[in-house]
Amino acid sequence: MAASGLWLPLLLAAALAGRAAALWPWPQYIQTSEAHYAIFPHDFQFRYHSSSAAQPGCSVLDEAFQRYRDLLFSSRAWYPPEPTRKLHALEKNSLVVLVVTPGCNQLPSLESLENYTLTINDDHCFLLSETVWGALRGLETFSQLVWRSPEGMFLINKTEIEDFPRFSHRGLLLDTSRHYLPLTTIMDTLDAMAYNKFNVFHWHLVDDSSFPYDSYTFPELTRKGSYNPATHIYTAQDVKMVIEYARLRGIRVLAEFDTPGHTLSWGPGVPGLLTPCYSGSHPSGTFGPVNPILNSTYEFMSSFFLEVSSVFPDFYLHLGGDEVDFTCWKSNPDIQNFMKEKGFGSDFKQLESYYIQTLLNIVSAYDKGYVVWQEVFDNKVKVRPDTIIQVWREEMPVHYVKEMELITKAGFRALLSAPWYLNHITYGPDWSEIYMVEPLEFKGSPQQKALVIGGEACMWGEYVDSTNLAPRLWPRAGAVAERLWSNKLVTNLDSAFKRLTQFRCELLRRGVQAQPLNVGYCEQEFEQT
Ligand SMILES: *[C@@H]1O[C@H](CO)[C@@H](O)[C@H](O)[C@H]1NC(C)=O
Ligand SMILES: *[C@@H]1O[C@H](CO)[C@@H](O)[C@H](O)[C@H]1NC(C)=O
Ligand SMILES: *[C@@H]1O[C@H](CO)[C@@H](O)[C@H](O)[C@H]1NC(C)=O
């Protein structure tokens, strides 16, 4: 990591940073000047342009206007209408929004366009976007451009921004199995994600530790597999609420139900689903991964994933497939016989492939696409060509940079997560290591690079619950957010440190308990204690 010699100048620079707003993530093209305009909170408006495809009644934007008005002005002391110096008022004291393509009631998708242009000059204060999702990104940028004079005036500089994301999948994984996260914690995280222009909430719902997803087809799963079936579950209604909350912020919900490993919590609710492990010639009383040799397993998976496919409307489901421990399968005589019958020899990867292939066929039949962890690729499971492979292992079986090369060479789309495990913490400014990762640094053709659709920051929950989630996530996840949104050339650590430091103060002002990046203090006013 960087020695203190590198960090001292950065600190000084941060102290000298002006009061004008700093943007995070940095836009693709921006031109600003010192000219600026006054915004008057009492009658400031977000308005739909008369020829916008979105008009009043568009839920996504109506609600976003309200949110950004609150973020900008409510709970902030506001003194003047008496400016202490001559200021130009913002044109019509409004931001006019024009959306080109209709789609207020749709869900965001991997293909959604998020580009926008924002023009603030003597004649216009204008946000133009292709879709409502782009308008959301532009509103966030607008909110970050507003700053306050020492007298408390709200000001915005003359600015021209043309912006679009570098990658279309910019995700954050939360794990609600190791620790249950209350709905309010999930919603607060979705808010902070929107401030960072993240657009995918990867919801790792269940795992060995607990099964909080309340299945209406198999209610025994939560009754027997959750920490507390009265309080520590997500009902269909809760899930719907999370999906709508996310949608209104332009965020997709990618649900993960990881099998055949990581499934201990499924066992009590579905007798016979897990493999009985043997000690010598007798069952030991413990269980391993999902039992891949029984028809009943696939009957269960068909019903379960039929439900999941309708509860989670995103085109993609995450099917897991990581870290299957073969020890229990090896110990079980029925499995040994099945291996013989199928001619798998002693290659348990073939058994794993057999399971996953059958599962993928089931899920494909429900018109869903899927994302899987890299082991599915490493173990040579035959998957549909449109499968998305998520890279999470840093060194095994090869370094993640090589893994990205191999996956895209085989023609699959890839998501990068290996260097972005935010649950790993160290002393010092580890955000900069996260920030300096270049997702396309592997060897490969332009066609291969184009198969990288983005990446995800992961926050596994072994040591994280609602008490420490926010400070562990923010602003560190912001480093991933900027890497996935901004231009490849935006890599200056000095500038990033200054902006991220300021953005962290803005997050605090917005009620996100973001941890500090280094010594210092937040200059801005913020009312929370
Ligand atoms: C905005 O205007 C102020 C006051 O003129 C100036 O100090 C600041 O540097 C400007 N900010 C940007 C980003 O141009
Ligand atoms: C957004 O991007 C699309 C596709 O590249 C382009 O056709 C459109 O003009 C852009 N719209 C805006 C508002 O920048
Ligand atoms: C399991 O299903 C296969 C294929 O449908 C069938 O051939 C086999 O007999 C079934 N096994 C049992 C034990 O029902």
Side-chain angles (χ1 to χ4, degrees):
M1 254 333 306
S4 57
L6 173 61
W7 286 94
L8 194 57
L10 296 188
L11 279 173
L12 289 174
L16 295 172
R19 284 170 157 267
L23 296 176
W24 195 276
W26 191 246
Q28 298 281 348
Y29 300 106
I30 175 167
Q31 216 171 13
T32 58
S33 82
E34 304 223 323
H36 51 273
Y37 311 98
I39 297 174
F40 299 97
H42 62 281
D43 66 350
F44 173 83
Q45 280 187 28
F46 293 103
R47 296 192 304 153
Y48 293 94
H49 190 276
S50 57
S51 51
S52 170
Q55 289 295 330
C58 170
S59 55
V60 174
L61 291 186
D62 281 357
E63 295 201 20
F65 291 170
Q66 189 55 50
R67 278 199 312 277
Y68 281 105
R69 158 172 275 297
D70 290 349
L71 277 178
L72 279 166
F73 308 122
S74 85
S75 88
R76 290 173 102 173
W78 179 62
Y79 316 105
E82 280 302 315
T84 50
R85 60 203 153 95
K86 198 168 151 39
L87 281 170
H88 291 285
L90 186 67
E91 174 67 12
K92 296 205 175 72
N93 201 33
S94 311
L95 175 67
V96 176
V97 177
L98 195 163
V99 176
V100 175
T101 316
C104 287
N105 301 317
Q106 291 166 8
L107 287 157
S109 72
L110 178 59
E111 290 76 30
S112 293
L113 288 173
E114 294 170 285
N115 54 337
Y116 68 92
T117 66
L118 187 57
T119 306
I120 293 142
N121 59 30
D122 291 357
D123 307 317
H124 298 286
C125 180
F126 184 57
L127 171 60
L128 172 68
S129 71
E130 202 54 40
T131 65
V132 290
W133 319 120
L136 291 177
R137 306 300 169 236
L139 286 168
E140 175 56 37
T141 302
F142 176 81
S143 77
Q144 293 185 15
L145 285 170
V146 175
W147 56 288
R148 302 196 71 184
S149 71
E151 307 83 48
M153 289 294 294
F154 289 91
L155 301 169
I156 189 163
N157 288 33
K158 185 173 175 177
T159 305
E160 180 73 43
I161 288 177
E162 221 183 300
D163 204 8
F164 53 87
R166 182 177 172 208
F167 294 103
S168 51
H169 184 124
R170 306 179 307 281
L172 173 65
L173 176 148
L174 293 185
D175 165 6
T176 56
S177 172
R178 273 55 175 256
H179 286 96
Y180 178 80
L181 296 174
L183 287 174
T184 50
T185 303
I186 293 178
M187 292 188 292
D188 290 348
T189 306
L190 289 166
D191 279 316
M193 285 173 68
Y195 305 154
N196 285 270
K197 297 187 169 71
F198 275 114
N199 68 354
V200 180
F201 166 35
H202 177 162
W203 193 352
H204 186 86
L205 275 141
V206 302
D207 206 291
D208 285 332
S209 318
S210 77
F211 198 104
Y213 170 73
D214 193 22
S215 163
Y216 49 77
T217 320
F218 301 99
E220 293 298 301
L221 280 165
T222 42
R223 215 164 283 158
K224 300 198 170 140
S226 68
Y227 285 133
N228 181 333
T231 53
H232 286 47
I233 63 170
Y234 304 106
T235 64
Q237 204 49 40
D238 295 337
V239 168
K240 228 187 199 149
M241 204 266 284
V242 168
I243 292 170
E244 178 62 6
Y245 197 89
R247 182 187 83 85
L248 290 170
R249 286 152 185 79
I251 297 172
R252 298 163 50 207
V253 176
L254 172 64
E256 178 179 356
F257 288 91
D258 190 359
T259 67
H262 290 278
T263 47
L264 284 184
S265 69
W266 305 48
V270 189
L273 181 66
L274 302 184
T275 308
C277 314
Y278 275 67
S279 155
S281 56
H282 298 287
S284 66
T286 62
F287 294 89
V290 164
N291 192 333
I293 68 170
L294 301 178
N295 289 0
S296 57
T297 290
Y298 301 104
E299 283 155 20
F300 166 80
M301 291 297 170
S302 294
S303 310
F304 183 73
F305 277 100
L306 180 64
E307 170 183 327
V308 165
S309 300
S310 74
V311 171
F312 294 93
D314 197 85
F315 178 65
Y316 292 96
L317 284 175
H318 201 302
L319 298 178
D322 59 320
E323 294 185 301
V324 186
D325 181 356
F326 297 144
T327 321
C328 181
W329 281 353
K330 280 180 187 161
S331 75
N332 182 303
D334 298 329
I335 294 207
Q336 292 160 10
N337 289 337
F338 185 84
M339 298 275 291
K340 260 188 226 125
E341 258 171 55
K342 291 277 174 192
F344 293 163
S346 55
D347 183 4
F348 283 83
K349 284 183 186 173
Q350 288 194 49
L351 182 60
E352 180 189 358
S353 300
Y354 170 85
Y355 169 79
I356 290 186
Q357 247 159 56
T358 314
L359 179 68
L360 296 186
N361 291 340
I362 290 169
V363 175
S364 295
Y366 300 144
D367 282 330
K368 287 282 185 184
Y370 37 78
V371 186
V372 290
W373 296 109
Q374 72 176 78
E375 283 92 328
V376 173
F377 171 80
D378 296 338
N379 294 346
K380 305 191 170 53
V381 177
K382 201 158 98 226
V383 293
R384 262 181 7 200
D386 62 350
T387 303
I388 298 169
I389 318 272
Q390 187 165 9
V391 174
W392 71 277
R393 304 190 68 125
E394 282 204 70
E395 300 283 348
M396 294 291 287
V398 292
H399 190 271
Y400 74 83
V401 171
K402 183 76 183 170
E403 182 82 5
M404 294 292 282
E405 178 190 331
L406 296 175
I407 288 169
T408 54
K409 201 168 182 174
F412 294 110
R413 286 174 297 170
L415 280 173
L416 182 62
S417 283
W420 291 330
Y421 267 40
L422 302 182
N423 48 300
H424 294 171
I425 48 174
T426 54
Y427 186 78
D430 63 350
W431 71 273
S432 58
E433 247 178 297
I434 296 167
Y435 185 73
M436 291 313 284
V437 170
E438 168 44 54
L440 303 187
E441 82 172 321
F442 61 86
K443 265 198 266 148
S445 65
Q447 289 85 339
Q448 271 174 266
K449 309 276 163 124
L451 289 169
V452 179
I453 59 169
E456 289 186 355
C458 296
M459 183 57 79
W460 296 100
E462 286 86 349
Y463 303 96
V464 176
D465 68 7
S466 62
T467 62
N468 60 351
L469 176 70
R472 200 159 286 194
L473 270 180
W474 314 110
R476 294 161 78 230
V480 179
E482 176 154 300
R483 182 56 52 237
L484 293 173
W485 177 280
S486 303
N487 193 280
K488 180 180 179 158
L489 303 174
V490 177
T491 53
N492 185 304
L493 273 178
D494 182 11
S495 147
F497 178 73
K498 279 188 273 184
R499 287 183 295 111
L500 194 55
T501 299
Q502 252 183 292
F503 181 55
R504 180 255 168 177
C505 292
E506 177 63 10
L507 290 176
L508 284 185
R509 199 189 66 73
R510 295 183 184 196
V512 181
Q513 297 301 305
Q515 70 180 10
L517 289 172
N518 209 324
V519 298
Y521 75 108
C522 286
E523 199 176 317
Q524 291 155 298
E525 90 280 29
F526 57 92
E527 271 85 61
Q528 43 283 108
T529 47

